[in-house]
Amino acid sequence: MRYGKTKKIMVTGGAGFLGSHLCERLLAQGHEVLCVDNFFTGTRRNIVHMLDNSGFELLRHDITFPLYAEIDEIYNLACPASPVHYQFDPVQTTKTSVHGAINVLGLAKRTRAKVFQASTSEVYGDPEVHPQPEEYWGRVNPIGYRSCYDEGKRCAETLFFDYHRQHDVNIKVARIFNTYGPRMHPNDGRVVSNFVTQALKGDDITIYGDGLQTRSFCYVDDLIDGILALMETPREVTGPINLGNPDEHTMRGLAEQIIAMTGSASRIVSRPLPSDDPRQRQPDITKAKQLLGWTPTITLRDGLARTIDYFDRFLKDDAASTKL
């Protein structure tokens, strides 16, 4: 550990949606941040405002290959997280979760760094238990189109706990539920970014099936609060711990709310339900409340207003640059 309160912290996937918000928060706390990203889904736009900060360093690197640095903490967020992106190259997606976990855990073992794993609610698959507590082992198809992500993240959890038991690595594992906010990729295929961009453009809003399947949406600032709170817990608190907003919404209801908030003339149209798409997803956050003192505070309406404003500016900037 370095002298004083300043730490050298590595964030893999640091140019992505969640990673860039995390880098920003760590810099604000006075830490030195090493942002590691291969820019498969992350973008320089997300981090450009940090490049002149003397405490920020950017390394273009794919974590399926070993990396070497002297650090105090690691946040492993590297992996495409939307079906559009992780199904584009499913073999590489699995490698990112599995080889990537091995590489960051090896680095943590050598440097004795505390290491955080961004796992996912997808480890629960299409759940038979609702809401999903951490003790539920899940219902995942191991050979489906989503398996590269779901099973990759499950295997990463296995590796984290085996390194903890076998090598005494200080680990923290969070299972992240649907999160939204500024800096989401506009073409990532996730429901909030899809609906908001479609509404702002006046395009049809696409729902799948009857639109009655549910999700729980956590605003990004709340999620970062939860991640940082987990990293500050005593060593014996390893997780996995669910981080997400337990308020549940149907896809049709979300589409209607976004249309109303944007004043859009978009229509809602239905498409067939994708393979292995879960019907329900809601976190049981009892452990997060008890162990972290954490609960989301930002309402869906407030979070959507900030997200709509971001995408409105993003689309106008993009249109202006296209005309040049």
Side-chain angles (χ1 to χ4, degrees):
M1 183 64 66
R2 297 169 191 274
Y3 294 107
K5 296 181 180 180
T6 300
K7 301 173 188 173
K8 180 72 173 180
I9 301 176
M10 175 185 290
V11 180
T12 70
F17 163 47
L18 296 182
S20 62
H21 283 277
L22 179 60
C23 288
E24 200 171 58
R25 190 77 69 86
L26 293 170
L27 286 174
Q29 292 180 348
H31 301 301
E32 297 177 31
V33 175
L34 174 60
C35 170
V36 178
D37 207 295
N38 68 352
F39 292 98
F40 176 62
T41 57
T43 67
R44 289 182 66 87
R45 179 179 183 142
N46 288 341
I47 58 171
V48 67
H49 61 292
M50 293 181 263
L51 292 175
D52 290 335
N53 190 312
S54 61
F56 185 80
E57 183 179 355
L58 173 62
L59 173 65
R60 181 185 285 266
H61 182 83
D62 186 330
I63 67 159
T64 61
F65 298 94
L67 68 170
Y68 304 94
E70 299 305 319
I71 35 77
D72 302 308
E73 292 182 356
I74 306 169
Y75 290 81
N76 185 32
L77 278 65
C79 190
S82 74
V84 168
H85 291 145
Y86 65 64
Q87 291 173 11
F88 175 77
D89 189 344
V91 172
Q92 183 65 21
T93 296
T94 304
K95 285 182 176 180
T96 301
S97 286
V98 178
H99 292 186
I102 291 170
N103 288 330
V104 298
L105 285 163
L107 180 60
K109 177 186 171 187
R110 181 182 68 79
T111 60
R112 304 192 64 79
K114 186 190 306 182
V115 58
F116 169 88
Q117 168 65 8
S119 190
T120 171
S121 62
E122 298 297 335
V123 300
Y124 298 121
D126 191 3
E128 300 164 300
V129 175
H130 191 76
Q132 294 81 57
E134 292 86 350
E135 292 77 16
Y136 178 53
W137 290 355
R139 179 172 173 263
V140 177
N141 176 3
I143 58 170
Y145 288 104
R146 301 169 68 102
S147 305
C148 58
Y149 184 69
D150 301 1
E151 294 288 42
K153 288 290 191 177
R154 285 164 69 94
C155 186
E157 285 196 17
T158 300
L159 286 162
F160 264 71
F161 279 89
D162 283 340
Y163 266 78
H164 172 65
R165 288 184 287 254
Q166 188 172 340
H167 301 297
D168 196 33
V169 174
N170 188 357
I171 67 165
K172 308 289 181 182
V173 177
R175 291 176 178 165
I176 297 172
F177 283 68
N178 292 64
T179 305
Y180 71 100
R183 299 185 203 147
M184 293 184 80
H185 197 293
N187 300 313
D188 68 3
R190 286 188 275 193
V191 64
V192 173
S193 51
N194 267 10
F195 287 4
V196 170
T197 55
Q198 288 169 341
L200 289 171
K201 292 178 179 179
D203 296 339
D204 291 343
I205 289 185
T206 308
I207 63 172
Y208 296 94
D210 56 15
L212 299 182
Q213 63 270 40
T214 64
R215 295 294 184 272
S216 305
F217 300 102
C218 184
Y219 189 68
V220 61
D221 288 357
D222 279 334
L223 182 80
I224 299 302
D225 287 343
I227 290 173
L228 294 173
L230 176 55
M231 280 293 267
E232 292 304 312
T233 54
R235 188 182 182 95
E236 61 269 18
V237 179
T238 59
I241 290 183
N242 289 337
L243 293 179
N245 193 318
D247 290 341
E248 200 172 1
H249 303 270
T250 67
M251 298 300 92
R252 183 173 290 275
L254 178 69
E256 291 169 348
Q257 183 171 359
I258 288 172
I259 287 172
M261 291 180 69
T262 55
S264 176
S266 295
R267 300 177 307 140
I268 297 176
V269 298
S270 297
R271 295 285 184 269
L273 198 65
S275 174
D276 299 325
D277 191 55
R279 293 290 302 178
Q280 291 181 305
R281 188 58 59 73
Q282 181 190 25
D284 180 334
I285 62 169
T286 302
K287 284 189 176 181
K289 290 177 178 178
Q290 293 174 345
L291 297 174
L292 314 182
W294 176 86
T295 189
T297 61
I298 298 171
T299 66
L300 181 63
R301 173 168 288 277
D302 287 346
L304 284 177
R306 301 178 200 182
T307 306
I308 289 167
D309 180 64
Y310 168 80
F311 276 111
D312 188 41
R313 288 183 284 107
F314 181 97
L315 293 172
K316 287 175 179 174
D317 290 347
D318 194 48
S321 64
T322 302
K323 291 178 183 178
L324 294 178

